[in-house]
Amino acid sequence: MSRRPDGQVTAVVVVAATARNRRRGNEDAIGVDGWAVYGDPARPLDLLLPVDPGRPARVAVTDGIGGRPDGDVAARLGAQMLTADDGGDDVAHLPERFRRTDQAIRARGAEIGSPDMACTAALLVVHHDGAAVAANAGDVRIYQIRDGYLGQLTQDHRVTPDGSAVNRCLGGTRSPADPALFSTRLRPGDRLLLCSDGLHDAVSPEVMGQSLLSGDDRAVAARLVRAALAGSAEDAGDNVTVALITVVGAGRSTSALPAAVPPASVERAAGPRATGGVRGGIWRRRKKGE
């Protein structure tokens, strides 16, 4: 077991869930280190993700744009590519990561006859020294809660207040992919929330903040999804996705255990790392008490 100075980040706990709600399909996806979790999985994602020098944690939520075909394909590919381990994790290089993802979605859309397919996205990158960057295109959001205050780190790119149109996305034929960027510094114990508009359009910031203040990660994620499902009872019932991130410092063990099998509905990003398995410890389930 290794120890690091106080204030450095040794890992992040990732608890994430996605629900179809009353839609026919789920066009949201969750990305972690090049994997995409999608569909309507029976259980939430629950991981301890090590953070090492030169190897940050990357977590994304993507949301296929409704009204266009193959939004689920765009979201899945976006989640994979935004979180892939291919370098360019500082604030200066993240726009290029978004542009590469945008180009890949456009190319895939052309291949399958869906040139308009697109998704909105938010990406959180956490470095071992506590530096973090929130990046987004569209209206997927990232929140941070600290000292009882819930703050939105991302910027919405909505043309209309109800979110029926956005002016930035990944893929499609017109919207630019340049992300809004926000740099911050995290400390152990901080909580962050990535979520699709299925949550933040249905649940008020006050309810989200109260939910994030108490309970373990699994209970909080489940509470937020239930609140969104209840809050959307009178509308079309958009897909709901939440990814709760808790920052772990040097006082907690992150000793490596064998990698566990990811949840059923996952895909790995294409590339040289795709067949090499996952990096040590990334997909292990958390043990009780971690």
Side-chain angles (χ1 to χ4, degrees), residues 58 84-89 93 97 100:
R58 305 175 202 86
D85 186 9
D86 59 0
D89 293 304
H93 293 93
R97 183 180 285 271
R100 286 199 307 268

Side-chain angles (χ1 to χ4, degrees), residues 103-116:
Q103 292 165 3
I105 293 173
R106 291 171 187 256
R108 180 60 176 155
E111 289 175 3
I112 65 175
S114 293
D116 288 332

Side-chain angles (χ1 to χ4, degrees), residues 129-181:
D129 63 354
V133 184
N136 80 296
D139 57 1
V140 179
R141 293 180 181 175
I142 302 178
Y143 294 93
Q144 179 181 3
I145 189 160
R146 177 186 287 176
D147 300 329
Y149 174 75
L150 181 72
Q152 182 178 334
L153 305 185
T154 49
Q155 174 184 334
D156 289 344
H157 302 121
R158 287 184 160 184
V159 177
T160 55
D162 64 358
S164 59
V166 295
N167 56 17
R168 292 194 199 180
C169 64
L170 301 176
T173 56
R174 291 176 297 276
S175 300
D178 295 331
L181 301 168

Side-chain angles (χ1 to χ4, degrees), residues 87-264:
D89 293 304
D90 58 25
V91 68
H93 293 93
L94 285 181
E96 179 58 29
R97 183 180 285 271
F98 271 69
R99 285 191 286 270
R100 286 199 307 268
T101 303
D102 173 65
Q103 292 165 3
I105 293 173
R106 291 171 187 256
R108 180 60 176 155
E111 289 175 3
I112 65 175
S114 293
D116 288 332
M117 77 176 195
C119 68
T120 59
L123 169 67
L124 177 69
V125 180
V126 180
H127 296 269
H128 81 286
D129 63 354
V133 184
N136 80 296
D139 57 1
V140 179
R141 293 180 181 175
I142 302 178
Y143 294 93
Q144 179 181 3
I145 189 160
R146 177 186 287 176
D147 300 329
Y149 174 75
L150 181 72
Q152 182 178 334
L153 305 185
T154 49
Q155 174 184 334
D156 289 344
H157 302 121
R158 287 184 160 184
V159 177
T160 55
D162 64 358
S164 59
V166 295
N167 56 17
R168 292 194 199 180
C169 64
L170 301 176
T173 56
R174 291 176 297 276
S175 300
D178 295 331
L181 301 168
F182 183 84
S183 297
T184 187
R185 187 160 292 276
L186 304 178
R187 62 193 189 204
D190 280 348
R191 267 182 171 170
L192 298 103
L193 173 68
L194 289 75
C195 63
S196 63
D197 59 352
L199 178 73
H200 64 71
D201 280 351
V203 179
S204 69
E206 292 76 18
V207 171
M208 282 193 282
Q210 287 300 315
S211 296
L212 289 165
L213 283 173
S214 60
D216 66 23
D217 303 320
R218 302 173 188 86
V220 170
R223 189 183 306 140
L224 288 170
V225 171
R226 286 197 302 269
L229 296 179
S232 63
E234 296 182 0
D235 60 25
D238 198 2
N239 306 144
V240 180
T241 299
V242 302
L244 181 63
I245 314 297
T246 302
V247 179
V248 178
R252 292 173 67 179
S253 170
T254 58
S255 54
L257 292 178
V261 177

